Amino acid sequence: MAPRRTRATERDRNRRVLSQNFLADPTAIARVVRSAAPDPAGLVLEVGAGRGQLTRPLAARCGRLVAYEVDPAAGAELAAVCAELPNVRHRQTDFLTAEPPGEPFTVVGNIPWSLTSAVVRWCLAAPQLRAATLLTQLEYARRRSGDYGRWSRLTVLTWPEFSWRLAGRLSRTAFRPVPTVDAGILRIERRPEPLVAPAGLPAYRRMVELGFGGTGGSLAASLRRRYPPGRVSAALRATRLDPSTPVGYVWPEQWLVLFRLLHAR
């Protein structure tokens, strides 16, 4: 007899789409809150607030908190938690559709892993964002923070304005239901002053995009498409980079030196 097929409920579909794995371990919750280090007088947006596991300890450490949760099942429990906290507002809506606040704020969240890239893009595009502390798949956090010894295009592109750091690792057993992989605490912080003057940022980004273009399999070959070969060679020597270095192994600080040398007048 063929196995009986059960009909997926709306909750099942939401769980697959939202990749919901709720943080359950008290020690892990405390680590995330410590990593976030919220301003006692500041505004925090919590994304993927779930049933309020992080909401209570965050609310105790910040001035105001807005908790976003799109799942109606989890949102009902979250609403009850928020009702007890005078400095917290509950938003039963998709965080990605929210307008960024017009005042300085931070983001903290155990985000749905399937939406990690979208949440990160939202944060980077928010003019008043000061920092984001996000629970992501460990591999994602390691790739973005250079923990593998390699650097992603997005990290290098945004490095003059944002620092990226792996602030910790959490075992998958800290979540319910238990996911298949461990998590990383990814910390993104806006720099007080950009490492490249605002007027130079578009040129810096064009150089990075060119370098990651992949022509010839090395950074040197890619840069020579736009810059004089002799100048590229001199800049690589000054930066102590072998011309055959794959682009992912070039550190963000080396990109900054290359930009200054290639654009020096």
Side-chain angles (χ1 to χ4, degrees):
M1 180 182 294
R4 182 180 178 183
R5 296 183 62 185
T6 58
R7 190 170 186 174
T9 66
E10 186 65 26
R11 183 176 176 82
D12 292 332
R13 285 188 288 271
N14 284 342
R15 189 171 297 281
R16 285 197 301 272
V17 171
L18 299 176
S19 307
Q20 290 176 298
N21 300 97
F22 299 117
L23 195 57
D25 180 74
T27 301
I29 292 171
R31 286 189 65 190
V32 175
V33 174
R34 283 198 304 272
S35 298
D39 180 352
L43 171 63
V44 174
L45 306 189
E46 184 188 0
V47 52
R51 302 186 181 108
Q53 294 91 338
L54 281 170
T55 307
R56 286 186 184 276
L58 283 172
R61 299 275 298 272
C62 71
R64 290 170 292 141
L65 187 144
V66 182
Y68 287 87
E69 176 53 58
V70 70
D71 179 7
E77 296 181 52
L78 177 64
V81 171
C82 294
E84 301 174 3
L85 303 170
N87 63 334
V88 176
R89 286 181 293 157
H90 171 225
R91 291 288 181 266
Q92 184 68 49
T93 188
D94 184 354
F95 171 80
L96 294 173
T97 66
E99 286 293 325
E103 62 181 286
F105 70 98
T106 60
V107 170
V108 182
N110 176 24
I111 61 178
W113 288 353
S114 63
L115 300 178
T116 298
S117 294
V119 171
V120 168
R121 285 196 301 270
W122 188 100
C123 291
L124 294 175
Q128 293 291 338
L129 177 87
R130 291 297 170 261
T133 305
L134 305 172
L135 276 176
T136 72
Q137 288 186 346
L138 179 58
E139 181 184 3
Y140 182 93
R142 294 190 68 188
R143 283 192 290 110
R144 291 294 184 230
S145 62
D147 195 57
Y148 285 118
R150 302 188 301 273
W151 298 89
S152 72
R153 182 195 307 244
L154 179 62
T155 306
V156 175
L157 278 170
T158 58
W159 193 257
E161 296 176 279
F162 294 93
S163 66
W164 298 69
R165 179 169 60 90
L166 177 62
R169 306 180 185 201
L170 297 181
S171 169
R172 65 191 189 94
T173 59
F175 299 84
R176 295 293 183 275
V178 179
T180 57
V181 297
D182 291 339
I185 304 173
L186 179 63
R187 176 79 174 171
I188 307 171
E189 294 184 62
R190 185 183 296 276
R191 302 185 189 279
E193 295 291 337
L195 301 178
V196 172
L201 286 172
Y204 170 84
R205 295 182 190 120
R206 287 194 296 270
M207 184 197 73
V208 172
E209 292 286 7
L210 178 69
F212 273 89
T215 299
S218 70
L219 175 61
S222 297
L223 292 178
R224 287 173 183 144
R225 295 169 57 198
R226 180 175 298 168
Y227 300 98
R231 193 164 191 171
V232 171
S233 297
L236 291 172
R237 286 196 301 271
T239 317
R240 299 185 179 181
L241 278 171
D242 187 292
S244 63
T245 301
V247 65
Y249 289 90
V250 180
W251 286 56
E253 291 83 359
Q254 292 174 312
W255 281 98
L256 293 171
V257 174
L258 286 173
F259 175 71
R260 291 171 185 134
L261 293 174
L262 291 174
H263 288 260
R265 298 189 178 214

